[in-house]
Amino acid sequence: MTFDDLVVNNTVEKLIRGEDYRQEVVNFINSSFLDFALVFFKKILDAKLHNIGINIDWYKKYFIQENNFSPDEAIIFAGINKKTISNIYGSATKEIMLNVANENIYYLESLLDMLEDNNDSIGVIIKISYNSISIELNLNESLLVINALATKKIALRGGAWSSIGKRVEKPLMIKLCGLCKVPNDFINSEVFKKNNEMGFDREVDFKLYNSKKDKEFRVEVKLMGKGNPESADAVIARESKIFVADTLSEQNKNQLKSLGVEFLELKNNKNCVDDFKKILKKLDIPFS
């Protein structure tokens, strides 16, 4: 999943002002979910209008079996998300996703049949109208649709929170350097990979150089919650010299100090730019 430029820019602005950025992510999740729901309802209306069956075969046929949609969409309609499939099967290829979608939709159908047999007092009906056309979904159909919507919301939420840090890292550092007027010659925002002793690639997206250009400083950015212990691990793995984080616990700060790493905490910090200048000055990185 991707963030539009507006969300990224708003997140960067809030971080630099020391404000909490999380509402931007929540707004994005809600907006994306509502867009999906409206499009989904229109697809349901179209599929239901062309099928006269009173069971959910129309749903299985149109949304899962006839390849009308991509595997990523089909698994959502079947009530399971891609991350879950990857965790269970160790992979999420097209073939695996389509097989799982078919298996899961049959499993859900059996559950719904049991529910219908054992409950004769509850009635849930979703009515979808578009212009002068409307359709109604029975209990089983309605629950299947509700389950797909819930699955999509979970997938959106997981993808958004896992992606935000990576999407914001480079724009945040470029903005900070711009506010401090660091010359472009001393900034490198390409993607770098370094093989460590165990043979794994460790990626870093940002480097700064001292005034003589005989020293480079890797920059690590983490939008993590307070108390998260991964800060020192990330710095060690990528040999970073500057660490920028939304929130740092005292333990995090002590770890970074012991490693000789300069750090900048953003949340509730109204002086982010001035504090970053102190780091630049200490490392002899040009700015004005």
Side-chain angles (χ1 to χ4, degrees):
M1 106 170 261
T2 60
F3 286 89
D4 58 40
D5 291 339
L6 180 62
V7 174
V8 172
N9 290 340
N10 288 346
T11 300
V12 168
E13 292 295 334
K14 285 194 171 184
L15 287 168
I16 289 177
R17 292 198 300 265
E19 299 173 3
D20 197 310
Y21 71 93
R22 290 168 180 79
Q23 189 58 48
E24 293 296 327
V25 184
V26 172
N27 290 343
F28 173 80
I29 293 169
N30 290 334
S31 176
S32 298
F33 173 72
L34 293 176
D35 286 342
F36 169 83
L38 291 175
V39 173
F40 186 32
F41 286 144
K42 288 181 181 179
K43 291 175 179 175
I44 292 170
L45 181 67
D46 181 67
K48 184 69 171 174
L49 284 173
H50 292 85
N51 290 272
I52 59 174
I54 59 174
N55 53 30
I56 60 174
D57 285 344
W58 66 272
Y59 187 93
K60 291 186 295 183
K61 179 181 177 182
Y62 184 78
F63 286 102
I64 311 298
Q65 297 169 346
E66 290 192 341
N67 296 322
N68 292 317
F69 306 99
S70 69
D72 292 75
E73 293 174 301
I75 59 173
I76 293 295
F77 299 142
I80 191 167
N81 63 57
K82 192 172 184 177
K83 185 175 181 181
T84 300
I85 293 174
S86 295
N87 290 339
I88 295 174
Y89 296 94
S91 177
T93 63
K94 177 181 178 180
E95 183 180 4
I96 289 175
M97 286 196 289
L98 291 177
N99 287 338
V100 172
N102 278 286
E103 291 173 3
N104 207 59
I105 199 68
Y106 280 109
Y107 172 69
L108 288 175
E109 185 179 18
S110 65
L111 288 181
L112 292 172
D113 288 340
M114 290 173 58
L115 176 65
E116 192 173 46
D117 292 339
N118 296 323
N119 196 321
D120 57 3
S121 60
I122 274 191
V124 176
I125 294 177
I126 292 179
K127 181 177 181 179
I128 303 173
S129 299
Y130 183 70
N131 293 330
S132 60
I133 304 171
S134 66
I135 56 112
E136 288 187 354
L137 306 181
N138 62 27
L139 173 64
N140 283 8
E141 293 168 337
S142 298
L143 291 177
L144 203 60
V145 169
I146 291 170
N147 188 58
L149 291 171
T151 303
K152 182 62 176 182
K153 186 66 177 287
I154 292 170
L156 280 171
R157 186 169 60 226
W161 289 113
S162 63
S163 299
I164 180 65
K166 201 62 181 173
R167 284 299 309 274
V168 165
E169 177 176 340
K170 191 174 294 185
L172 174 63
M173 292 310 304
I174 290 174
K175 182 73 172 181
L176 269 174
C177 289
L179 291 171
C180 296
K181 294 184 173 58
V182 178
N184 290 334
D185 289 347
F186 299 90
I187 299 172
N188 196 332
S189 59
E190 296 179 6
V191 177
F192 308 94
K193 287 189 176 181
K194 178 180 177 62
N195 291 324
N196 67 9
E197 294 177 355
M198 298 180 66
F200 297 109
D201 284 337
R202 298 295 185 176
E203 187 176 295
V204 63
D205 287 344
F206 212 86
K207 287 182 180 180
L208 293 169
Y209 302 96
N210 68 346
S211 60
K212 295 181 180 179
K213 280 198 171 182
D214 58 357
K215 289 183 181 179
E216 67 175 29
F217 305 105
R218 292 171 173 255
V219 182
E220 181 77 18
V221 178
K222 287 287 182 183
L223 303 187
M224 57 193 196
K226 192 170 185 178
N228 193 316
E230 69 176 355
S231 60
D233 295 338
V235 168
I236 293 171
R238 295 170 176 82
E239 299 180 1
S240 303
K241 184 62 179 178
I242 302 172
F243 191 80
V244 179
D246 174 51
T247 309
L248 291 170
S249 66
E250 287 305 314
Q251 180 183 0
N252 295 148
K253 294 175 183 177
N254 290 333
Q255 286 176 317
L256 295 168
K257 287 177 182 176
S258 68
L259 293 168
V261 175
E262 305 299 327
F263 59 84
L264 175 64
E265 185 177 23
L266 301 173
K267 190 172 182 180
N268 298 324
N269 184 357
K270 303 300 182 182
N271 301 303
C272 291
V273 176
D274 289 338
D275 288 347
F276 188 59
K277 286 180 179 179
K278 293 176 183 177
I279 294 174
L280 297 174
K281 184 176 182 180
K282 186 173 182 180
L283 298 177
D284 188 31
I285 299 170
F287 70 96
S288 61

